[in-house]
Every structure is written in structure tokens, then in C-alpha cells.
Amino acid sequence: MAMCWKAAFICTVVISFSLAAAADGSPRSGFVREECLKQTLDHLANGKLAPNDEVFMRDAAGRPMSDPKDLTLTLSGCNKLCGSEQRWYSDIGPRVSVWLLPVLLLVSNIELSPLDKRRFYAIFHLLGDPIHSFWSIIDKIDAWDRCYRLAEQYEPDCERCRRVIATVFAGFEEIRGPEMVSKDNLSLLADEHNLIDKFQQWRRAAVEIADSRTDEFFRTCLAILLFIYQLIAGFVKEVGGESSSPPGGRVATGVLLSWLIPIALLSNAVGNLASRYTCWDILSRFAERSGGQLELPDSESVLLQSFPALARTCRTPYIESLAWSGGIYTYRPSRRQNTSEQRSWFRAIAIFSISIFPICIGFLGGFIILWYLIPNGLNCRHLWMIGVVIAWFASAMITKMSHSARFVTGKYHLHFVLAKDTLIAIPSIAIIFLSASGLFNNCKCWSGYLYYGKGAHVALNTEPFFERNDRTIYPLVFGVCLAAQLALFGTVAAVWRRGFKVFRWSESARREERVRTAGNTVCTCMRENYSYTQGTCKG
């Protein structure tokens, strides 16, 4: 928890600094568009400033843009009249609340694994490495999907019995890790725990596992609806009322972070267990009743094996190793699968593509919204957004490449990844907050100098422009990005629908299986003349 307190302290310092800076400063201490517009109009009215003064931008015909309805200054003119210094916004609260509160609510609804206080470390991994977090969750669902497909070799006809077998298989994957999901390992498991003779015990264990899974999916849907409502309120006056300032930047921030929607939905679709001992206790009882054994060796962690002087190796009891062995669904280290069940290149590429898709959609939507700020084009705010997204991609690459027996594995890799994610997450959050607070609020950044070069200019009367964007650009971009994020969740749910069947039992299915377990009744397929080894009825 020390890491969490340090992160909270640093973020508090950054926020306090921004708020103090915003509260300080005289009207002339930096760029304030409304004050500069009023001052320029006053100077034109009292003759202090000529309509053809060099401070005004020229249009294509060479005419000065000094009309009050389209008042535009050159970059040097803006520095002269409005001040060249940066100025913190005076309405930081309303600007930040558009995206901060719903984002915090979404993060709080992301389902984390039952690892006591250490479960909150996953938040740092989520914010510092969202691509690997997506990959880990989808990899978990894919493992369940493979469990279901492997169960079909034992019961190809009865969907209920297939689900029972797959759920127990997935339970063992929960405690043994992704290497468990191979044809040979699951066949050995079926033989060791007497699938044919002790199927009632398999059913009992499956029901207990399914009953122990949490289901907060609809609560998360309510949080997502609030996120959507809050962003819409930012640019629709009929919903959110009059805004204290143009909403372009804050809407772009919300769209960038819209990847939180599918990961919140996926994590709650995966669900959670009441504690890290739950699955272990259920499968321990199952092993006793089915005549099998449940022995888990200690987990080995290796540090810098290629450097003998610095090399370290340690072994950790199973229960304590869940954090880095697959128990955290947003952190599943890359491992080689059994060669007989190695994932196809097509499936691996599909999982990787889906993992980066939400980040790319959020970035593209936010980039477009910032592009249509006035003047249109590349501006300073694009730089922080590009930097954050590059950091996220680099973070995923580091996570992938650092997991090696020559470098770090086990708990050492987890600690390395968390340190890396903290170094990326805190600056990313800080730059997003500072941008919303006015870090780029100066003549240079509002002039589009990155795009226009010597033709950089600052428009002062921007209200009609932003009102038009509120009705056109913002709803279109936000709607497309939201639809794409929800479509991604729908695609995962459709492609890996068998994986969701494993732990996601309906209430009626659990009740039915519970009755069968209590009454020692069987499915119609469980007749004496049925052969599991061949998967077909004998007569």
C-alpha cells in the first residue's frame, strides 16, 4: 500500500499546485480570451487601435480581420495585446468535473481480483498499461473458451454437462494458471478426478464455483450511463445547462478515456470470487470427494539470471503467488502454452488487435475533437495526447519483453511492471489534469503555430464557432467512438460466447443444477449405457 499512498500524495501535490496557480494572477498575468476580446473591442471603439493595425490577421484578400464578429489577431499581436504568459483557467472545477467524476466512477466499477489490499495495485497497471490489461482479460476469457471446447470431447451432445465439465476445468485454470489449459493436462485432470464415475461431484463443484462468482454487471452499466450523460451534458446545453467555457478540450479528454467503458464491461463479465481462498477451498473439497489430489508446488521467481553477481531466485507458497500467476485478471504475464494447444497466429493477432482497438478509438476521437478547435489543425494539446498514447504502447511492449527467465519472472516481474506502470500512470494523469486546468492556455498554443507556422493566428470571438461544433462535430465524434467501444464489447461477447458460458450461469441454470445435486439426479444423457470416452450413446 505504500505505493498507493505515494501516488496519492504526488497527485494531491500536482492538483494543489494547479488550483493555487489558477487562483493567483492578475487579469494581465496571462491569456484570457474573454478579457482580451473585451479589451480589443474597447481599443477599437475609443480609437486606441486602428482597424488596419498590424496586430490583426489578414484574410486571403489581404483585408485585416478586425470585424467584431470575426476578430482575429496574429500571434505577435496576441502576445502584445493579451500577454504571452500562460494563465490557469479560473473555472477548473467545472472543466475537470465533466470527465473526472465519471472516470473515477468507471475505475471504481472495474472488477479486481480478490487479493486483499494488493488488488488495488491493478489500478496502477490499468492506468499505466491499458493495452496489457485488455490483453490479460481477453486472454482469461479465451482460456475459458478453450476449457469449453475441450469439454466437448467428453460431452458433445448435452450442453448442461458440457458446461459443468468446462466450469471445473476453468476452476483449475484459476488456481494453476494459463498453462493448465491444454488437451493433455485436462485429459489427465479428467482421469485423475474420475469424471465418469464421480460426475455428481463435478456437478457439485461446478455449482459452487458458479455460485461464488460475483455479478455487478448492471451496476457497471449504470456507471457507464452516468459517464455518457456527463459527457453529453458538457456540450449539449439542453442537458447540462450553460457551460462556463467552451467544452472542446474536456470532451476530448473524456473521449480519450472512453476505453474504460469496454474494460469495465469485460472485467465485470469475467466477474470475481469472494476471496482468494474461495476457488482453492471448493476444489480441495472436490478433490477429496472425487478421489483425486490437489497439490500445488511453490511458485519460483527469478531475477537477472544472466548476471550471476546479481541473480536471485526465491520460492513463494501458492496462496501468496496468485498476484503474478494469473490471479489478477488485468495482469497475466506472457507464457508459452503447451505445444499441443498453442494458440494459432490468427487468434493471437485477433486478441492483440482487440486489445489495442479501444485505445486507438479513444485516441482518434480525442485527436479529431482537438483538431477542430479554433483555429483548426495540430495544436499543443495534441502533443500531450500523442505522448500519453505512445507511453501506453511502450508500456505494453516493456511488459511483454521484460518477462524472461534471463531478466525477471514471478514476483520480481510483477514488482518491475508495477514500478514501470506507476512511472507512466502518474505523469499521464497529471498531464491530463494540468491540460484541463490551463497548462496550454496561452497565445502560442491557441494560435495553431504547429500547423500554420508563420500564419499562426488567434481568434477572439469563438462563441459561434464552438456552438456550431456542439451541434455537429462533438456529437458525431462522441457517438461514433461510443458505438465503437460498445461494439468491441459485443464482438468479444459474441466471438468468445462459450467462454462466458463457463462461469456466467443464469439463476435458473444454477437452481436447476443445485436441485440435481441435492437430489442426486442426473441428466437424460447420463445413462448407464453412455460412454464418455467415445462421447456417444452405445444403444
Side-chain angles (χ1 to χ4, degrees):
M1 280 298 288
M3 187 182 300
C4 295
W5 284 111
K6 291 178 182 177
F9 174 75
I10 294 173
C11 291
T12 301
V13 170
V14 172
I15 292 173
S16 300
F17 169 76
S18 299
L19 291 174
D24 192 16
S26 63
R28 294 282 305 183
S29 63
F31 178 80
V32 179
R33 195 188 302 272
E34 295 77 10
E35 294 179 4
C36 189
L37 173 63
K38 182 178 182 302
Q39 176 182 277
T40 304
L41 291 175
D42 289 343
H43 287 348
L44 285 171
N46 60 29
K48 289 184 178 181
L49 195 62
N52 62 347
D53 195 284
E54 63 180 8
V55 299
F56 295 110
M57 184 68 182
R58 265 55 179 175
D59 61 17
R63 295 185 297 262
M65 302 176 68
S66 56
D67 188 310
K69 294 182 180 179
D70 190 21
L71 200 60
T72 305
L73 305 176
T74 62
L75 176 54
S76 59
C78 180
N79 289 332
K80 179 180 178 180
L81 295 178
C82 309
S84 60
E85 298 84 4
Q86 174 267 344
R87 172 78 177 271
W88 298 105
Y89 296 130
S90 60
D91 58 341
I92 294 178
R95 286 175 178 270
V96 172
S97 63
V98 168
W99 57 267
L100 180 61
L101 294 180
V103 163
L104 289 176
L105 189 59
L106 274 183
V107 171
S108 67
N109 276 274
I110 292 174
E111 195 69 68
L112 303 175
S113 300
L115 298 175
D116 300 327
K117 297 178 181 179
R118 288 175 295 178
R119 64 190 295 185
F120 296 105
Y121 289 168
I123 294 178
F124 282 92
H125 186 55
L126 173 69
L127 298 177
D129 194 351
I131 293 175
H132 187 261
S133 297
F134 268 106
W135 184 91
S136 296
I137 290 180
I138 298 173
D139 181 69
K140 185 75 174 180
I141 299 171
D142 183 64
W144 291 353
D145 185 83
R146 282 181 285 157
C147 287
Y148 194 90
R149 284 186 281 117
L150 289 168
E152 291 177 346
Q153 67 178 312
Y154 297 99
E155 180 45 72
D157 300 318
C158 181
E159 195 276 335
R160 293 170 179 169
C161 295
R162 202 160 52 235
R163 183 177 55 197
V164 166
I165 297 170
T167 301
V168 175
F169 281 172
F172 278 93
E173 189 275 342
E174 183 85 11
I175 63 174
R176 290 185 176 178
E179 288 106 337
M180 178 65 194
V181 187
S182 71
K183 183 176 181 180
D184 293 340
N185 285 339
L186 294 182
S187 296
L188 182 63
L189 184 69
D191 294 338
E192 182 181 347
H193 294 276
N194 301 305
L195 173 60
I196 299 175
D197 298 330
K198 299 288 185 177
F199 187 79
Q200 281 296 88
Q201 303 305 327
W202 283 67
R203 171 179 281 127
R204 184 189 300 274
V207 171
E208 291 180 7
I209 293 173
D211 265 343
S212 301
R213 209 84 190 171
T214 60
D215 188 358
E216 302 292 346
F217 188 79
F218 291 106
R219 185 189 68 181
T220 302
C221 290
L222 291 176
I224 291 172
L225 288 176
L226 177 60
F227 177 87
I228 296 171
Y229 172 84
Q230 191 77 354
L231 282 184
I232 292 176
F235 57 83
V236 179
K237 294 180 181 179
E238 291 77 8
V239 177
E242 285 289 338
S243 177
S244 60
S245 57
R250 68 193 80 171
V251 175
T253 301
V255 171
L256 172 67
L257 298 175
S258 62
W259 55 264
L260 287 167
I261 293 176
I263 203 167
L265 290 172
L266 287 172
S267 66
N268 278 274
V270 169
N272 202 354
L273 294 170
S275 85
R276 57 179 170 172
Y277 298 99
T278 301
C279 197
W280 167 262
D281 291 340
I282 293 172
L283 293 180
S284 294
R285 293 193 297 269
F286 164 71
E288 293 176 2
R289 294 192 296 258
S290 62
Q293 294 181 344
L294 185 61
E295 296 180 357
L296 295 172
D298 294 343
S299 174
E300 184 178 76
S301 302
V302 176
L303 174 66
L304 300 176
Q305 193 175 38
S306 299
F307 302 91
L310 301 175
R312 293 181 62 184
T313 302
C314 73
R315 304 190 70 83
T316 309
Y318 152 73
I319 289 294
E320 298 299 324
S321 70
L322 283 177
W324 58 86
S325 63
I328 295 180
Y329 313 144
T330 54
Y331 171 78
R332 285 166 69 87
S334 304
R335 299 180 178 183
R336 294 183 181 274
Q337 301 294 331
N338 185 287
T339 53
S340 65
E341 283 296 316
Q342 191 170 18
R343 185 182 288 135
S344 67
W345 277 105
F346 175 80
R347 202 172 188 88
I349 292 173
I351 293 176
F352 174 74
S353 300
I354 291 175
S355 299
I356 67 173
F357 181 81
I359 311 301
C360 294
I361 287 297
F363 169 69
L364 183 61
F367 190 94
I368 292 174
I369 289 177
L370 291 180
W371 182 274
Y372 280 96
L373 294 178
I374 188 168
N376 296 346
L378 191 69
N379 59 65
C380 297
R381 292 158 188 79
H382 283 113
L383 299 182
W384 74 255
M385 186 173 288
I386 293 172
V388 167
V389 173
I390 289 176
W392 285 340
F393 273 87
S395 180
M397 185 177 299
I398 293 171
T399 301
K400 170 72 175 178
M401 297 180 65
S402 61
H403 189 271
S404 167
R406 294 184 175 183
F407 185 51
V408 285
T409 63
K411 72 174 185 179
Y412 297 124
H413 184 254
L414 176 64
H415 295 163
F416 170 80
V417 168
L418 289 177
K420 177 262 299 178
D421 293 337
T422 302
L423 292 176
I424 292 176
I426 292 178
S428 298
I429 295 170
I431 193 64
I432 291 174
F433 180 85
L434 291 173
S435 176
S437 303
L439 180 63
F440 304 108
N441 184 38
N442 56 56
C443 286
K444 191 173 184 179
C445 285
W446 281 114
S447 69
Y449 76 97
L450 293 173
Y451 186 74
Y452 293 96
K454 293 181 179 180
H457 55 280
V458 179
L460 296 183
N461 188 12
T462 58
E463 186 173 345
F465 174 85
F466 282 112
E467 286 181 354
R468 184 169 65 253
N469 277 1
D470 288 346
R471 298 190 302 269
T472 56
I473 300 296
Y474 300 157
L476 177 62
V477 174
F478 176 69
V480 170
C481 289
L482 176 63
Q485 302 288 19
L486 294 176
L488 177 128
F489 171 74
T491 300
V492 173
V495 173
W496 283 276
R497 58 188 178 279
R498 291 174 297 189
F500 284 103
K501 287 182 181 180
V502 173
F503 279 155
R504 282 297 168 206
W505 292 25
S506 65
E507 182 59 36
S508 60
R510 282 183 283 181
R511 182 170 57 251
E512 185 176 329
E513 295 295 343
R514 197 180 297 112
V515 169
R516 287 177 176 172
T517 301
N520 202 31
T521 58
V522 297
C523 291
T524 55
C525 68
M526 304 293 292
R527 299 190 299 268
E528 292 183 358
N529 60 346
Y530 188 87
S531 171
Y532 277 101
T533 57
Q534 297 180 10
T536 55
C537 291
K538 290 183 177 179

